[in-house]
Amino acid sequence: GGPDLFGNSTVRLRPMTMDHSAIARTGLSSSEESDGPGPLLGRAYLTLKTARRAFRVAQTMSGVSAALLGREPWSLIAFVVIVASIFALIYKVSSSKRRDMAATMRSAIGIGRERAKRLIKELARKAFHFSGMVMPAVYFVGLRNGLMDKRLGCYVMVTVTSLYLLGDVLRLSIPAFNHYMLVTLGWNKIMRKEEYHSFTGIGYYFAGNTLATLCFAPSVTIVAMLALILGDFAAALVGKAFGRRRLVGGKSLEGSLGCLGVCFFNGVLVFALMLPHLSAGRVFLYALVGAVAATAAELFSITVNDNILIPLACGVAISCTALALGVSAELTSGFEATEAVTWQYIRSALGQ
């Protein structure tokens, strides 16, 4: 350079260039190269934070497992058996040929060919319906082991139901997605034809169980769920196999009696296990009232979807009976006395 206007010498500086290929070889971005170690420290901090949260989640899972194994291992074993049986039934129904299954039904229970075909078709639909046993099973095991309470049960059911209904809305809004669900995934085998372009019964099924969870005491909720899952299941299968005396809307007396018997048995079993302070008379009374209400709802559910009507009718009948007797508090189980320990694990996992 030369002198400037004031006689001072100047130096011309060459612009500095950045070798991006060298930066690429080191695995750093240009911003990391120019900013120094700050971004690297930030990345290390995020990694440590993620690892800490993963460790807390692992602690949560180990705590839940320890609680199950430590308090009532039989309930965990029963839950595993129930879930395994459900998936075995679904696999058997979905993988077997209907002709072979119909032949087995005819030889096993002595029904005609056409009746066997109708029974197998209904069984294919109800197999997925039966998988809902997971919901009351989780609620039952969680309550008895201090891992579940009504508040947590409501959060879980509302979340699951909302996600399913959102998926159903997307299915109805996007024809390609609807075709994928019906044809590729084979949902057309378990859905009625009128459900191909409308909301499915499964959505009402989740909604009915969610309303029962929100409205009733947990022990009553479990009975109401089982009335929908097993009572409706029994009504359909017994009606298809042995139904001869027709009542309302083509439904049979035999199917209604099957529903009544199954619901009564479920009620006695659940109330005896969840409410040990009840006398035998009260257990039988609540079970009978709930069974009659659920059976009537299944029989007369013509204008209202029975997936919503059955659990609500069952729960309302039991709750109103206790209210009329002035003993509503006795439907509250001792397992609900304290907050579920799962909330502590959740708060720990979230760093609260």
Side-chain angles (χ1 to χ4, degrees), residues 231-245:
D232 188 45
F233 184 80
L237 296 190
V238 173
K240 294 293 183 182
F242 306 105
R244 288 180 174 82
R245 299 171 181 85

Side-chain angles (χ1 to χ4, degrees), residues 82-95:
I82 289 172
V83 174
S85 301
I86 289 170
F87 284 104
L89 174 63
I90 294 175
Y91 174 76
K92 180 66 177 177
V93 171
S94 61
S95 61

Side-chain angles (χ1 to χ4, degrees), residues 56-217:
R56 284 176 174 170
V57 172
Q59 280 184 320
T60 300
M61 298 306 296
S62 63
V64 170
S65 301
L68 281 173
L69 294 174
R71 295 187 62 175
E72 287 189 353
W74 69 266
S75 61
L76 177 61
I77 295 172
F79 174 74
V80 172
V81 170
I82 289 172
V83 174
S85 301
I86 289 170
F87 284 104
L89 174 63
I90 294 175
Y91 174 76
K92 180 66 177 177
V93 171
S94 61
S95 61
S96 300
K97 294 182 178 179
R98 291 193 176 185
R99 180 179 299 177
D100 297 337
M101 291 184 66
T104 302
M105 289 290 181
R106 292 200 305 272
S107 61
I109 57 179
I111 59 177
R113 178 179 299 177
E114 292 303 318
R115 190 176 291 270
K117 288 181 179 179
R118 293 197 300 269
L119 178 61
I120 294 302
K121 185 177 181 180
E122 189 66 20
L123 182 61
R125 286 190 63 255
K126 294 296 184 181
F128 189 84
H129 187 100
F130 186 69
S131 66
M133 272 293 293
V134 172
M135 291 182 285
V138 168
Y139 209 11
F140 176 82
V141 173
L143 283 167
R144 290 190 64 90
N145 290 275
L147 298 172
M148 183 76 74
D149 55 22
K150 179 173 180 176
R151 182 162 64 103
L152 183 58
C154 291
Y155 277 120
V156 171
M157 289 303 302
V158 168
T159 301
V160 172
T161 302
S162 299
L163 290 175
Y164 181 84
L165 292 178
L166 176 61
D168 225 13
V169 170
L170 292 176
R171 179 181 68 84
L172 297 176
S173 303
I174 306 174
F177 183 49
N178 192 21
H179 182 271
Y180 174 78
M181 296 288 291
L182 293 174
V183 179
T184 306
L185 296 184
W187 280 45
N188 58 335
K189 297 178 181 178
I190 61 174
M191 290 168 56
R192 293 188 174 98
K193 290 184 178 180
E194 58 266 25
E195 295 175 340
Y196 290 176
H197 301 287
S198 63
F199 287 103
T200 65
I202 301 173
Y204 293 105
Y205 180 82
F206 278 122
N209 285 323
T210 300
L211 289 173
T213 307
L214 293 169
C215 296
F216 309 124

